[in-house]
Amino acid sequence: TELAQIRNFSIIAHIDHGKSTLADRLIQRTGGLSDREMSAQVLDNMDIEKERGITIKAQTVRLNYTASDGITYELNLMDTPGHVDFAYEVSRSLAACEGALLVVDAAQGVEAQTLANVYQSIEHDHEIVPVINKIDLPAAEPEKVRNEIEEVIGIDASDAVLASAKSGIGIDEILEAVVAKIPAPKGDRTAPLKAMLVDSWYDPYLGVVILVRVIDGVIKKGLNVKFMQGGTDHLVDRVGCFTPKRIDLPELGPGEIGFITAQIKEVEQAKVGDTITTVKGGAAQALPGYKEVQPVVFCGLFPVDANDFEKLRESIGKLRLNDASFSFEMESSAALGFGFRCGFLGLLHLEIIQERLSREYDLDLITTAPSVVYRLTMTDGTVKELHNPADMPDPVKIDFMEEPWIKAVIYTPDEYLGSILKLCQDRRGIQKDLTYVGGRAQVTYELPLNEVVFDFYDRLKSISRGYASFDYEQIGLQEGDLVMMNILVNNEPVDALSMVVHRSQAEPRGRALVERLKELIPRHMFKIPIQAAIGAKVIARETISAMRKDVTAKCYGGDITRKKKLLEKQKEGKKRMREYGNVQIPQEAFIAALRMG
Ligand code: GDP
Ligand code: MG
C-alpha cells in the first residue's frame, strides 16, 4: 500500500468509556467480518480480558475503508493494553501509530486514565481526534464534555465527533476524521529494513507470532532477519495481517502494521520494542525506546494439594510461553511445601496469572503476601536484591535497605478527597501536587510501592465508591527504615507469613495478623502463643488457650459410631493441616491470613 493511503491509530479511553464497542463498530462498518462472525467484542479475545474489560495483549486489525474522496485507505487500528502494569507495552504500541481516537464518555467526562493515556499519546506526537461517545444516554452532556476536553487536556475539541458506539451513530464521521486528520506514516521503501517489534504471543499452530510496524524497507517471506537487541537471526516464514481474521500477505512495506512468524519457539526471544532488520545490509542503528521489562512484584504460588506440584510446574511453564514478562523459580516453604516464587509487572498481572492457573488449568492455589524487590547494601559493601522475605540475611550484616517508590496520580470527585489524602498519608505518601479541574481534584503523591501492592487500589475504590482513578509510574529507589517481621506460632517462625514492612507499619500489621491467626488456629491440648516479632523483639502477641480436658473426654467412650465418625473426620482434617512446632495449622488459616494483606 502507498504511504499516502495508510493511517495507523489507536483508541485511548478511560475504562468503560466504549473503546472496545467502538472498535467492533469500526470493524463491522468496514466489513472485516460478516455479521455472523461478529461475536461480542472481538478484540478482547481472552476470557479474562472480556470479563475485566481490559486488553492485555496489543491487537491490531486492518480495516479497508473507502472514504468520501473515493480512495480506499488501509486503516490499522491498534488496541493497546489498558492497565498501568503494562505501561511499557502501551508505549511501544503508541510509538507504532501516528494518531489516536480519544474516546470520552459523554456522561462521565474526562477521567484519570483518559488523561494519562492522552498525555502519552501527545508525547508520541500523535494527532488526536476527540470522540464524545454514548451521546444516546439520557445523562449525556456532550457540550460540557467538549469544554472539559479543551480545558483539562488542552486540545481543540470544537470538531469532536459526537457518537454512540452502541447505536452506531457517528461511525462514518469517525472514519472520515481518521483519514482527514491523522497523518500518513513516513518511510523509505529502499532504505535498509527497520521494523519495530510491537508485541509477541504464542500460537499453538504458528509458534511465536510477532506484531511489527515497518518503519523503512520491506519485510517478506524468505527474508533472513536479525533482532538487534535480542541478537538472534531468524528466517521469516509468514507475513500477514488481521482483519481480524488472519490473512497472509506477500509483504509489509513502510508504514504498515502486520504480523510475521519466523520459526521462533519462545516469546522470550521476541522482546517488545526490539528492532528487526535484515541480516545482510541491515540498519546500523536500532530504533529508540527499547527497554527490558522487569518484574516488580513477587509472591509465592503453592498448590493447596501437594500432589498438584507437577501440574503447577507444567501449567506455569505453559503460561510463560506466552508471557515473557513473568518469571518463576522453584521455592520450598516449611509451611506450604513446594511451590514457585513468581515475579509480575504489578498486582493486576499477578491476579491474571493466578486466575488463569486456577481457571484454565484447574489448580487450587495459595498465594503468599506480595512483596516488592528491596535492595540491600551490606556492611561489606556488596549489594543484593531481595525477592523473597524468606531470604533476608542477618540484619546486623545489612548497612541499609532501599525500597522502590512510585509517583501516583489520583483523580477524584471533590467529596472523596479528604479520605483519599488520609489513605495516602497512612501509606507513607508524600503529597506533591493538588489541583482542581471542574469539581474534580487531581492529586499527585509519591508512595512506597510496598504500601501500594497490598490493598491500596481496593481501598481507594471503596473510599470513593469507584469514582477515583489511579495511575502510577516507578520513580526509583529510596532508603527506608525497613524491618523483617516474623510470625511465630508456638515459638517457631512461619516462613510463609514473614514479610518486610516499614518500622512504622510493623505493629498494626503484626497485631492484625496475630489476631486473625488466633481465630483461625484450633485449640490444642496446650497453650499456643502467637507472636509477631522483629528479630527477638515481640511486637504483638495473642495466646490460644488450651483445650479443656473434659471436652475431649466426652468424645471417648459412649457411642461407637460417633467415635468412628470423629476419627474419620480427624483423618480428613489432618490432610489439610500443616504441622507447625507441634501445632496443626489448617490450610485455611494461611490463606485467610494472607488474604488480608
Ligand atoms: P472499554 O472499557 O472502553 O473497552 O468499554 P466497552 O466498549 O467495553 O464499553 C463499556 C460499556 O459501555 C459496555 O457495557 C458497552 O455496552 C457500553 N457502551 C459503549 N458504547 C456505548 C454507547 O455509545 N452508548 C451506551 N449507552 N453504552 C455504550
Ligand atoms: Mg475494552
Side-chain angles (χ1 to χ4, degrees):
T1 313
E2 290 298 314
L3 282 164
Q5 291 162 26
I6 302 172
R7 299 290 182 274
N8 299 315
F9 67 104
S10 64
I11 306 182
I12 53 184
H14 187 76
I15 189 147
D16 279 345
H17 283 198
K19 183 170 84 162
S20 303
T21 311
L22 177 61
D24 287 353
R25 275 289 171 192
L26 297 176
I27 293 165
Q28 192 185 31
R29 167 67 182 79
T30 53
L33 286 180
S34 69
D35 284 349
R36 200 166 48 83
E37 286 168 322
M38 288 287 307
S39 72
Q41 300 201 341
V42 289
L43 283 191
D44 297 340
N45 56 14
M46 210 193 294
D47 277 353
I48 296 174
E49 295 195 348
K50 262 187 203 164
E51 276 167 34
R52 292 179 175 248
I54 51 156
T55 304
I56 297 162
K57 291 262 131 193
Q59 323 227 15
T60 299
V61 288
R62 179 174 296 193
L63 315 169
N64 287 308
Y65 173 66
T66 307
S68 56
D69 60 11
I71 297 171
T72 300
Y73 290 86
E74 171 191 322
L75 312 182
N76 293 302
L77 160 59
M78 185 168 270
D79 194 11
T80 60
H83 193 275
V84 281
D85 285 5
F86 310 105
Y88 175 65
E89 281 85 343
V90 175
S91 80
R92 294 307 83 204
S93 299
L94 295 180
C97 299
E98 281 76 33
L101 290 176
L102 169 67
V103 176
V104 183
D105 187 317
Q108 302 289 330
V110 173
E111 306 253 15
Q113 208 67 47
T114 322
L115 275 178
N117 290 336
V118 86
Y119 287 143
Q120 263 190 302
S121 201
I122 290 169
E123 263 172 45
H124 284 91
D125 287 329
H126 283 178
E127 186 61 44
I128 291 164
V129 178
V131 173
I132 299 172
N133 189 36
K134 305 200 189 182
I135 56 160
D136 61 297
L137 288 177
E141 292 182 280
E143 287 316 310
K144 188 177 155 208
V145 172
R146 193 196 297 276
N147 287 333
E148 205 175 52
I149 294 173
E150 299 203 330
E151 238 177 70
V152 179
I153 303 173
I155 58 171
D156 179 13
S158 58
D159 52 359
V161 182
L162 301 186
S164 166
K166 195 173 175 184
S167 355
I169 301 168
I171 304 304
D172 279 10
E173 286 89 330
I174 291 172
L175 288 163
E176 288 296 327
V178 166
V179 167
K181 294 175 83 182
I182 294 176
K186 294 190 180 79
D188 181 356
R189 203 182 161 82
T190 59
L193 174 67
K194 239 184 204 185
M196 183 173 68
L197 199 160
V198 179
D199 198 9
S200 64
W201 60 92
Y202 184 80
D203 180 290
Y205 301 104
L206 304 175
V208 173
V209 179
I210 294 169
L211 190 68
V212 294
R213 156 71 201 263
V214 181
I215 309 295
D216 289 322
V218 177
I219 197 163
K220 53 174 86 171
K221 191 173 158 173
L223 198 65
N224 268 308
V225 292
K226 174 188 254 339
F227 292 179
M228 295 178 80
Q229 305 287 350
T232 51
D233 294 351
H234 306 274
L235 179 69
V236 176
D237 58 7
R238 195 189 288 270
V239 174
C241 69
F242 301 97
T243 69
K245 277 186 289 191
R246 181 166 56 79
I247 287 175
D248 288 348
L249 295 170
E251 61 164 55
L252 291 170
E256 290 191 295
I257 300 176
F259 76 87
I260 61 166
T261 63
Q263 295 162 8
I264 298 168
K265 302 233 155 37
E266 284 168 11
V267 281
E268 207 175 352
Q269 289 193 284
K271 291 191 163 64
V272 172
D274 204 342
T275 303
I276 302 172
T277 190
T278 47
V279 171
K280 277 192 199 138
Q285 247 188 336
L287 295 162
Y290 174 76
K291 203 174 93 180
E292 188 111 17
V293 290
Q294 298 285 356
V296 293
V297 174
F298 287 77
C299 76
L301 292 181
F302 293 85
V304 168
D305 180 350
N307 295 320
D308 278 342
F309 176 74
E310 277 309 320
K311 191 173 163 193
L312 176 60
R313 182 207 292 278
E314 218 169 89
S315 310
I316 285 184
K318 277 187 193 152
L319 282 186
R320 160 83 199 184
L321 275 180
N322 218 345
D323 186 351
S325 58
F326 123 81
S327 69
F328 69 100
E329 60 183 40
M330 217 182 106
E331 170 182 20
S332 75
S333 147
L336 302 174
F338 286 106
F340 293 94
R341 189 81 192 161
C342 302
F344 308 90
L345 296 175
L347 274 199
L348 178 81
H349 189 211
L350 185 163
E351 275 175 47
I352 288 167
I353 298 281
Q354 189 186 315
E355 232 172 278
R356 291 188 66 184
L357 286 169
S358 63
R359 213 185 292 192
E360 292 166 32
Y361 298 96
D362 196 27
L363 281 161
D364 211 355
L365 298 175
I366 303 177
T367 314
T368 63
S371 158
V372 300
V373 180
Y374 298 96
R375 187 159 73 184
L376 314 181
T377 300
M378 312 301 288
T379 47
D380 65 7
T382 55
V383 174
K384 281 187 185 153
E385 278 197 347
L386 183 72
H387 291 234
N388 188 348
D391 299 332
M392 182 84 157
D394 184 350
V396 301
K397 293 188 179 144
I398 302 172
D399 186 7
F400 61 94
M401 266 177 96
E402 290 163 296
E403 61 180 328
W405 278 63
I406 60 161
K407 185 175 109 185
V409 177
I410 299 162
Y411 202 52
T412 176
D414 209 13
E415 63 212 276
Y416 309 113
L417 183 65
S419 327
I420 289 174
L421 295 182
K422 177 159 188 326
L423 174 67
C424 293
Q425 224 62 45
D426 287 348
R427 301 300 172 97
R428 300 192 277 139
I430 298 168
Q431 191 178 313
K432 287 287 161 182
D433 194 25
L434 175 61
T435 51
Y436 288 87
V437 197
R440 267 179 260 206
Q442 179 186 310
V443 55
T444 307
Y445 260 91
E446 288 182 2
L447 287 151
L449 183 60
N450 158 325
E451 300 291 337
V452 174
V453 294
F454 285 100
D455 56 350
F456 184 84
Y457 192 62
D458 292 343
R459 290 292 314 279
L460 184 73
K461 286 286 170 189
S462 80
I463 285 174
S464 66
R465 297 208 262 121
Y467 279 102
S469 330
F470 169 70
D471 201 33
Y472 77 85
E473 60 178 355
Q474 291 204 55
I475 53 170
L477 295 161
Q478 278 178 38
E479 195 176 336
D481 188 7
L482 300 158
V483 290
M484 170 82 161
M485 180 172 74
N486 285 309
I487 302 296
L488 297 91
V489 174
N490 208 20
N491 301 313
E492 281 205 38
V494 181
D495 58 357
L497 298 178
S498 52
M499 56 178 83
V500 174
V501 289
H502 192 262
R503 198 180 295 276
S504 67
Q505 309 279 358
E507 207 185 310
R509 202 162 280 165
R511 176 154 303 131
L513 253 172
V514 298
E515 277 169 15
R516 177 72 72 98
L517 283 171
K518 187 188 175 186
E519 303 294 310
L520 294 166
I521 298 176
R523 287 185 181 191
H524 284 57
M525 300 299 291
F526 45 88
K527 268 201 272 185
I528 306 170
I530 304 175
Q531 298 154 311
I534 299 169
K537 188 174 163 236
V538 174
I539 53 169
R541 182 194 164 107
E542 290 285 337
T543 306
I544 301 173
S545 53
M547 213 185 272
R548 294 207 329 268
K549 291 233 168 54
D550 53 336
V551 177
T552 34
K554 235 189 245 167
C555 302
Y556 299 98
D559 189 347
I560 185 84
T561 52
R562 202 179 138 218
K563 192 169 154 188
K564 250 192 187 157
K565 256 190 200 153
L566 200 77
L567 284 172
E568 211 60 46
K569 240 187 169 164
Q570 276 177 355
K571 241 200 222 153
E572 236 174 71
K574 266 222 174 83
K575 270 191 277 176
R576 277 179 278 115
M577 298 270 198
R578 302 274 169 179
E579 181 106 6
Y580 231 89
N582 277 335
V583 177
Q584 307 236 308
I585 305 181
Q587 195 86 295
E588 300 90 72
F590 291 110
I591 301 172
L594 291 168
R595 244 187 217 132
M596 54 169 269

